[in-house]
Amino acid sequence: MGKEVNILGIETSCDETAAAVVADGHIIKSSVVASQVELHEKYGGVVPEIASRAHIEKLYPVLSEAIEQAELEKDDIDAVAVADRPGLVVALIIGVTTAKTLALAWKKPLIAINHVHAHLQSAMMEKANLDLPAVALIVSGGHTNLYECDTPLDLKLLGSTIDDAAGEAFDKVATILHLPYPGGPSIEKAAEKGNPKAIDFPRSMLEAGSLDFSFSGIKTAVLYHCHGQDMKGQDKVPSMSQQEIADIAASFQAAVVDVLLAKTKLAADRLNAKTVLLGGGVAANLSLRKALERMCEQAGRTLLVAPKPYCTDNAVMVASLAYYKYKAGQFADLTLEPKARG
Ligand code: KG4
Ligand code: ZN
């Protein structure tokens, strides 16, 4: 067996500052994530300038800790990988500039990683060789994408959201319900005590056979439910009982899960998929995991889900995917610039 390939991964695309060292694409030697939740909480969403400033402050200690935890010297690192897209450019630029500087100073190759593809890698890491064909659902705060995937580097986009991402809908509905940020976990928690059939929120499927998603309609439906049709009434949420809020959360969650399940099943049926993968922040949601589990069980498909700590943003997924680019000789140069879109 040859020497291990150790890759240092850096992630600063949104509101998590993260660094990790992963060997050979799957041996996690360290993973450090500094969350900025408390900084953005009072605004109910990520404020780009605040995120950027926090990445500047946190990246150096996060990187030092990741290298220390991995018990490696810089000479043992074979490459530096960084998420360069998609995301907030003012946030991405901190990771990209740091990665370029380290690559130059340490004389190591630089690897650019697509953040959304990296989310998929978190699910792929679970198994060395996929039973093909495989379909992947990546659901995060910024993206809702369906892919056909053969290998970590061979992904074909089948469908994506035409408006809000699934996680964004969770975050916006949590704000409507006056639930704490980030919205996904708050809605999931509130929904535990609610009746998912209490309110029949719309399930937007777009035209027949479409693998695209739309979540802005359901967000508006929740808004009208709470403020009256066309926003003509007052905000009723402050006077609602805990049970009423739980019912709205559960009914909203059920509608989003129904749509995600239906589209993933449609893609999997169409491709006759043997494997289904699930990743991204919303993949932490238990009712989504269970719905896909049931669908795969009934159809005799293998479901691979990103482990919970690697559903939301982290650098393990960046360093892991980078291993495949390293082996394929797909390196970036020092002209690398962050990009808002992937
Ligand atoms: O992947 P991620 O950390 O960041 C992006 O790349 O966007 O995803 C964050 C998103 C947020 O919208 C958050 O509300 C959602 O994932 N999320 C959840 C859950 N945990 C996080 N959504 C539903 N249920 C959860 N348990
Ligand atoms: Zn993400």
Side-chain angles (χ1 to χ4, degrees):
M1 237 177 57
K3 181 188 157 296
E4 275 179 346
V5 175
N6 290 306
I7 298 186
L8 172 66
I10 299 174
E11 160 60 46
T12 64
S13 68
C14 192
D15 60 344
E16 271 25 274
T17 313
V21 178
V22 178
D24 294 345
H26 67 281
I27 305 159
I28 301 168
K29 296 208 162 163
S30 66
S31 175
V32 181
V33 182
S35 167
Q36 301 177 7
V37 165
E38 76 282 5
L39 295 178
H40 302 287
E41 211 167 14
K42 64 171 179 269
Y43 304 101
V46 178
V47 183
E49 294 303 329
I50 293 177
S52 179
R53 196 174 283 267
H55 287 310
I56 295 172
E57 282 170 13
K58 293 182 178 184
L59 190 49
Y60 181 75
V62 163
L63 266 170
S64 310
E65 200 181 325
I67 295 169
E68 204 171 294
Q69 261 185 29
E71 294 179 356
L72 294 175
E73 300 297 324
K74 69 175 173 19
D75 288 346
D76 304 319
I77 306 276
D78 295 284
V80 181
V82 63
D84 72 322
R85 71 188 70 186
L88 303 168
V89 169
V90 291
L92 287 163
I93 199 161
I94 310 304
V96 169
T97 308
T98 306
K100 289 200 289 191
T101 308
L102 287 177
L104 179 69
W106 292 352
K107 300 186 177 60
K108 306 286 178 187
L110 177 69
I111 300 172
I113 293 293
N114 178 309
H115 173 90
V116 184
H117 297 177
H119 270 302
L120 201 166
Q121 181 60 21
S122 296
M124 277 212 187
M125 273 174 78
E126 295 294 285
K127 199 163 181 275
N129 291 304
L130 298 179
D131 284 335
L132 299 176
V135 161
L137 173 68
I138 303 305
V139 263
S140 71
H143 298 270
T144 306
N145 290 356
L146 269 171
Y147 294 94
E148 179 182 3
C149 45
D150 287 357
T151 70
L153 299 184
D154 193 1
L155 312 176
K156 189 170 138 218
L157 188 65
L158 301 172
S160 60
T161 182
I162 60 165
D163 42 53
D164 291 353
E168 195 180 348
F170 270 92
D171 293 335
K172 287 179 176 167
V173 166
T175 305
I176 297 169
L177 296 178
H178 303 267
L179 295 172
Y181 171 84
S186 304
I187 297 260
E188 179 167 28
K189 188 154 189 296
E192 278 169 15
K193 297 197 177 77
N195 172 7
K197 295 204 170 93
I199 306 140
D200 189 18
F201 286 128
R203 275 102 169 125
S204 171
M205 296 293 174
L206 301 172
E207 71 273 19
S210 168
L211 292 176
D212 287 331
F213 300 87
S214 167
F215 292 108
S216 73
I218 184 165
K219 174 197 68 190
T220 309
V222 176
L223 194 62
Y224 286 179
H225 184 87
C226 297
H227 288 248
Q229 196 64 23
D230 299 325
M231 301 286 292
K232 292 216 171 93
Q234 273 194 339
D235 180 0
K236 293 182 235 162
V237 177
S239 56
M240 281 180 188
S241 68
Q242 291 288 86
Q243 189 57 50
E244 279 173 289
I245 292 174
D247 285 348
I248 298 171
S251 301
F252 160 78
Q253 180 175 270
V256 172
V257 169
D258 275 359
V259 173
L260 293 173
L261 172 69
K263 299 276 177 173
T264 309
K265 183 173 183 314
L266 183 62
D269 287 349
R270 199 175 282 171
L271 269 72
N272 209 1
K274 292 207 173 73
T275 306
V276 174
L277 300 114
L278 174 65
V282 185
N285 187 281
L286 201 62
S287 67
L288 174 61
R289 294 164 93 102
K290 282 195 174 146
L292 287 183
E293 233 166 69
R294 277 193 298 274
M295 181 269 278
C296 286
E297 223 171 80
Q298 280 163 10
R301 298 181 172 123
T302 305
L303 177 67
L304 300 175
V305 187
K308 241 181 157 186
Y310 305 122
C311 283
T312 44
D313 290 347
N314 64 87
V316 166
M317 64 188 195
V318 172
S320 172
L321 180 53
Y323 171 68
Y324 298 91
K325 286 198 141 186
Y326 180 93
K327 285 209 304 186
Q330 295 179 12
F331 300 115
D333 61 37
L334 295 177
T335 61
L336 184 70
E337 295 282 356
K339 296 206 170 49
R341 299 188 176 279

